[in-house]
């Protein structure tokens, strides 16, 4: 969750949504994202809305404390119940992200999940995920999560090479993420993801291959691999500007992506979104698919974004301000926007083109259709699906996905 918030119209104090947003809600899947904004240290590349204890000291008082965060976030879950009213939907997915969610006690994460269960109900096959820092969990912690209802976990591995982790300011030791996978399996987790980052300054092709091999050797059923993006205002951006480390390179990113595709495919992983691979349909992250397909989700926590029925809103960023609003009985919403039909069409193209199933050609305007024909002739779209009315990226198209999608929506 990037730290910058967009502009928008005010959110009503009670958080009420327009009637249009709730129309037909029972037919749409509903997910929850729970943001935990705390980190032990700040990674040099991170631009997310997160805070260390030092950064919070004296700025939020007791309201910003990790100790009572579960209770504060539960207040927003209760607000969601009031705003969504008599909506009969059970929650299909819950994703706890951050920050480092596992800086909270395992019982706190379970309490937040149970608040959703008690207010809304959980679908019998609900996907319940938390992100985890490898150094902040142990077998007992993982067992508590599993017993409390979590059935999917995502560990931030990033790299298997110490010098790469150092550039990223990651604090875990090489080998610990792989051990976490074994501990999660022993606790009863069927679905385990490892997050990797490629293109870090100083990383070689062999370093990247070693990271992929280490991840696969651990036995997850899902791998996410993201190109490093250097965000302005981060410590890494400042180090690059000072010439301490080299700038990342798009050609290197492309080479690393091809290595990832080759390695993961050979190990039985199939891509289902440009940056995500899984060993089976069951291993795919359903919560992220809700985002990519424009379903409904409520984002609870400081800076969290939500979307229900074409209305998108976002909370105030600071944990103290967030907790203060809820303590005063007000929505923590900072702003919102009502999407037009054209907005929603464009977003569908932007997001669905990244999926293995692609996007229906019927969503494209005349200029977009012309661009799609050019992309087909250039080998960026697959011929078979195109004949069936869908734009689906080829491997080369995945390397140029951002450029392709810009052409299709312009």
């Amino acid at each position: 969750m990037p730290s910058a918030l967009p502009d928008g119209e005010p959110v009503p104090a009670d958080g009420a949504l327009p009637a249009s947003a709730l129309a037909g809600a029972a037919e749409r899947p509903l997910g929850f994202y729970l943001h935990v904004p705390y980190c032990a240290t700040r990674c040099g590349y991170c631009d997310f809305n997160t805070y260390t204890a030092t950064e919070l000291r004296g700025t939020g008082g007791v309201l910003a404390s990790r100790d009572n965060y579960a209770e504060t976030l539960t207040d927003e879950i209760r607000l969601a119940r009031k705003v969504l009213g008599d909506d009969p939907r059970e929650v299909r997915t819950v994703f706890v992200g951050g920050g480092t969610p596992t800086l909270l006690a395992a019982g706190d994460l379970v309490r937040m999940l149970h608040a959703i269960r008690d207010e809304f109900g959980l679908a019998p096959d609900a996907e319940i995920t938390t992100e985890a820092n490898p150094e902040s969990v142990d077998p007992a912690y993982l067992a508590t999560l599993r017993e409390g209802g979590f059935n999917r976990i995502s560990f931030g591995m990033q790299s298997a090479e110490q010098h790469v982790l150092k550039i990223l300011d990651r604090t875990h030791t090489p080998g610990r993420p792989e051990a976490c996978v074994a501990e999660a399996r022993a606790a009863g987790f069927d679905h385990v993801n490892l997050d990797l980052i490629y293109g870090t300054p100083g990383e070689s092709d062999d370093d990247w291959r070693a990271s992929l091999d280490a991840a696969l050797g651990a036995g997850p059923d899902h791998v996410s691999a993201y190109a490093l993006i250097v965000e302005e205002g981060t410590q890494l951006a400042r180090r690059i500007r000072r010439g301490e480390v080299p700038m990342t390179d798009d050609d290197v990113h492309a080479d690393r992506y091809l290595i990832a595709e080759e390695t993961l495919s050979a190990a039985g992983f199939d891509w289902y979104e440009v940056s995500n691979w899984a060993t089976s349909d069951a291993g795919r992250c359903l919560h992220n698919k809700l985002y990519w397909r424009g379903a409904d989700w409520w984002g609870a926590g400081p800076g969290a974004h939500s979307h229900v029925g074409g209305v998108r809103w976002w909370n105030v960023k600071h944990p103290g301000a967030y907790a203060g609003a809820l303590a005063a009985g007000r929505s923590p919403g900072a702003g919102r926007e009502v999407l037009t039909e054209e907005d929603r069409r464009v977003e569908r193209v932007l997001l669905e083109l990244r999926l293995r199933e692609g996007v229906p050609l019927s969503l494209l305007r005349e200029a977009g259709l012309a661009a799609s024909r050019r992309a087909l002739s250039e080998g960026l779209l697959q011929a078979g699906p195109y004949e069936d009315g869908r734009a689906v990226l080829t491997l080369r198209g995945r390397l140029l996905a951002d450029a392709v999608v810009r052409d299709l929506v312009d």
Side-chain angles (χ1 to χ4, degrees), residues 182-259:
E183 292 171 5
R185 295 294 194 198
F189 282 89
D190 292 329
H191 302 300
V192 182
N193 172 62
L194 288 175
D195 269 345
L196 297 174
I197 290 178
Y198 57 87
T200 299
E203 178 193 63
S204 68
D205 285 352
D206 285 343
D207 291 333
W208 177 231
R209 289 190 178 94
S211 294
L212 289 165
D213 289 344
L216 292 173
D221 65 334
H222 190 287
V223 171
S224 299
Y226 301 103
L228 177 66
I229 297 175
V230 180
E231 301 285 0
E232 282 300 319
T234 62
Q235 178 64 21
L236 181 57
R238 289 189 287 271
R239 293 188 66 190
I240 291 173
R241 190 164 54 248
R242 292 194 296 263
E244 297 175 13
V245 294
M247 182 59 182
T248 57
D249 184 274
D250 288 343
D251 290 336
V252 169
H253 284 173
D255 291 341
R256 300 280 159 78
Y257 186 89
L258 291 173
I259 291 171

Side-chain angles (χ1 to χ4, degrees), residues 269-285:
F269 284 73
D270 289 325
W271 78 282
Y272 70 100
E273 191 273 343
V274 168
S275 299
N276 290 273
W277 291 258
T279 57
S280 67
D281 288 350
R284 298 179 178 185
C285 181

Side-chain angles (χ1 to χ4, degrees), residues 261-328:
E261 170 62 21
E262 179 183 9
T263 304
L264 293 169
S265 295
F269 284 73
D270 289 325
W271 78 282
Y272 70 100
E273 191 273 343
V274 168
S275 299
N276 290 273
W277 291 258
T279 57
S280 67
D281 288 350
R284 298 179 178 185
C285 181
L286 181 59
H287 184 82
N288 282 342
K289 290 174 73 173
L290 292 187
Y291 294 156
W292 298 326
R293 296 195 178 281
D296 290 354
W297 71 89
W298 189 292
H305 287 231
S306 303
H307 172 267
V308 173
V311 178
R312 180 164 46 227
W313 70 96
W314 44 92
N315 288 343
V316 293
K317 288 173 52 179
H318 196 277
Y322 169 78
L326 289 166

Side-chain angles (χ1 to χ4, degrees), residues 334-353:
R336 76 179 186 187
E337 58 183 344
V338 179
L339 303 177
T340 66
E341 287 301 314
E342 177 63 8
D343 291 334
R344 299 178 77 174
R345 182 194 72 83
V346 168
E347 289 197 357
R348 281 195 63 186
V349 177
L350 289 171
L351 294 172
E352 292 183 26
L353 185 66

Side-chain angles (χ1 to χ4, degrees), residues 47-262:
D47 186 42
F48 282 15
N49 187 43
T50 60
Y51 302 83
T52 66
T54 300
E55 290 168 337
L56 285 175
R57 189 172 295 127
T59 64
V62 68
L63 290 177
S65 169
R66 284 179 4 205
D67 296 336
N68 59 11
Y69 185 71
E71 180 180 348
T72 300
L73 192 135
T74 294
D75 287 340
E76 187 177 359
I77 293 170
R78 295 190 181 113
L79 172 67
R81 173 74 278 175
K82 293 177 182 178
V83 170
L84 297 180
D86 296 327
D87 182 350
R89 290 180 291 179
E90 294 176 317
V91 172
R92 182 67 184 83
T93 68
V94 178
F95 193 105
V96 187
T100 306
T102 45
L103 282 181
L104 299 185
D108 285 349
L109 299 188
V110 171
R111 275 192 286 277
M112 296 183 325
L113 171 62
H114 288 182
I116 294 173
R117 179 199 64 190
D118 294 344
E119 293 293 331
F120 290 86
L122 295 171
D125 59 347
E127 176 191 271
I128 314 295
T129 305
T130 186
E131 295 178 337
N133 185 311
E135 298 291 351
S136 63
V137 298
D138 57 25
Y141 191 105
L142 295 169
T144 299
L145 291 181
R146 185 67 190 94
E147 292 165 6
F150 285 84
N151 52 32
R152 186 176 184 277
I153 192 161
S154 177
F155 294 109
M157 179 177 178
Q158 319 313 352
S159 175
E161 299 299 306
Q162 181 63 57
H163 72 97
V164 177
L165 294 173
K166 185 176 181 180
I167 291 292
L168 296 173
D169 293 317
R170 297 292 294 181
T171 57
H172 68 261
T173 55
R176 179 58 194 151
E178 299 94 304
C180 284
V181 176
E183 292 171 5
R185 295 294 194 198
F189 282 89
D190 292 329
H191 302 300
V192 182
N193 172 62
L194 288 175
D195 269 345
L196 297 174
I197 290 178
Y198 57 87
T200 299
E203 178 193 63
S204 68
D205 285 352
D206 285 343
D207 291 333
W208 177 231
R209 289 190 178 94
S211 294
L212 289 165
D213 289 344
L216 292 173
D221 65 334
H222 190 287
V223 171
S224 299
Y226 301 103
L228 177 66
I229 297 175
V230 180
E231 301 285 0
E232 282 300 319
T234 62
Q235 178 64 21
L236 181 57
R238 289 189 287 271
R239 293 188 66 190
I240 291 173
R241 190 164 54 248
R242 292 194 296 263
E244 297 175 13
V245 294
M247 182 59 182
T248 57
D249 184 274
D250 288 343
D251 290 336
V252 169
H253 284 173
D255 291 341
R256 300 280 159 78
Y257 186 89
L258 291 173
I259 291 171
E261 170 62 21
E262 179 183 9

